[in-house]
Amino acid sequence: MTTPRFWREIEQRYRGIGVQCENCSRVYFPPREICPHCRRKSFGRMKEKELSGKGKILTYTKVHEPHPEYKMLTPYIMAIIEMEENVRLTGHLVDIDYEDVKPGMEVEVTMRRLGEESPKGIIYYGYKLVPVK
Amino acid sequence: MRAKEKVGIKSYAGYVPRYRITPKEIGKVWGKDGETMGRGLRINSKSVPSPDEDVVTISTQAATWALERSKLDGEDIGAIYVGSESHPYAVKPTATIVGASIGATPLMTAADFEFACKAGTAGFQTCMGLVSSGMMKNGMAIGADTSQGAPGDALEYSAAAGGAAYIIGTEDLLAEINYTCSYTTDTPDFWRREGKKYPSHGGRFTGKPAYFKHITECTRNIMKESATTPEDYDYAVFHQPNGKFPVKIAGKLGFEKEQIEPGLLVTRIGNTYSGAVPLGLASTLDQSEPGDRILVTAYGSGAGCDSFDITVTDSIEDIKNDDIPSIQEVISDEEFITYSIYAKYRDKIEGGR
């Protein structure tokens, strides 16, 4: 990931900024320009919306063959969650053992280190998922 | 020093990574009796950050919870100062990343502070000046560290990770800061040269002329300024590089063990450096009642102290049952790891990352 691309997505990665269609109230994350349900009726009516960061686990899996950035954390858990705004989010689930994860479990986003451009490059921060304390 | 206007703590929260290692486990690797060393240091375990945690992530979690507790919006925060000796970048502020993640940017000021273990409380004083002068309504001061000890060094048995964030303001205070004072000298007891991964220290020199002298002078000075004695305080929080020093200094200054117990976290989580006093104060505030008076003295090598005379207000009751985890709740989530996992997590294995 290049530095400009990472920088452009900071609002989404740090704060979970999505959009809400003012026509049908559906929320989208990552943000979309047009609501796929309302189509042209949504032109100019997609407003910024900060997600609550809270949701429930729909499904999850354990990854043994890691993405190179996640070598130090292998094996790790990836989960798909349903957020309070009815948005589905895929994320790295941390601070829990695989055996303790259950569908429906309440989780929330936290900021973690996702990787780095190189040992002397910028550090990528963004959301990961943790069980609600 | 006393501000012209009423000033104090509007909100606070702390975060400590969940991984723990025991002195016994560390000693096993270096052919030392770690259990005895742990007993000597009065450290039962120390916190270890996961490879995806650093001062940015610890500060952000604490700042997010502190903001949520305060019911303020990110844009209400006019300044963020992050005190640490383990900022992830040598050049590029931690505070801007924290500011962006809590929605405080761009109309704010931010900077990273460094003064060994008291960089967090230096942020308290800076925010006190800004809010009591009326330049802004709210400032955020954070103390956090993911400190490292060289493999096999005595510091490896205590150097830990954690931090806490405070919102300083003049209204809706959970606790008023009545007085603050500092005591600063040029004492080279502990340092890390530019570009070096691990710090160096003066061994026994870190005790008498450094920690004990500075804390004694600063604490006596604030009690003189505020015309108080140890009996006037319900609690006291002293910097805690190990479990022995704060108990010894408390006794020497005339404080009872019960006064320092709520804030003495070092035995369970190790020395969190810039996070140590902010976390100790947070744990004390968690357990305090309206009207309680707290004396705080942070110590930073190099060397200096910041002392605070604090009175808890009635508003402390309002946060007792909120959704923000208490420090005791945060630190009770713990998973013990072996030295090999610790070495991997702390980037001590060549070619690992």
Side-chain angles (χ1 to χ4, degrees), chain A residues 10-11 14-15 54 71-74 92 94-97 108-114 116 121-125 128 130 133, chain B residues 15 18-19 50-54 56-57 60-61 65 68 88-89 97 100-103 325 330 333 335 344-345 351-353:
Chain A
I10 273 179
E11 288 274 277
Y14 289 7
R15 294 175 56 214
K54 293 181 175 17
K71 192 172 103 182
M72 301 297 274
L73 293 161
T74 306
H92 188 163
V94 294
D95 285 2
I96 187 167
D97 292 330
E108 60 188 355
V109 296
T110 188
M111 189 197 245
R112 291 291 168 96
R113 223 173 150 129
L114 302 180
E116 58 188 19
I122 67 151
I123 303 165
Y124 305 134
Y125 293 97
K128 287 192 180 183
V130 289
K133 281 198 194 288
Chain B
Y15 175 79
R18 72 193 290 257
Y19 297 101
S50 164
D52 60 0
E53 291 182 297
D54 60 21
V56 166
T57 66
T60 299
Q61 183 62 77
W65 280 337
E68 203 178 318
Y89 288 97
I97 308 174
S101 45
I102 63 165
V330 171
D333 177 23
E335 181 179 335
K344 183 173 95 163
Y345 279 9
R353 209 187 274 272

Side-chain angles (χ1 to χ4, degrees), chain B residues 7-25:
Chain B
V7 62
I9 298 162
K10 287 182 85 150
S11 182
Y12 67 93
Y15 175 79
V16 177
R18 72 193 290 257
Y19 297 101
R20 303 278 185 276
I21 190 165
T22 61
K24 184 182 176 185
E25 177 67 20

Side-chain angles (χ1 to χ4, degrees), chain B residues 279-300:
Chain B
L279 277 166
L281 174 59
S283 179
T284 305
L285 286 169
D286 281 346
Q287 297 170 51
S288 65
E289 300 293 333
D292 282 351
R293 202 157 177 182
I294 307 169
L295 185 138
V296 178
T297 300
Y299 171 74

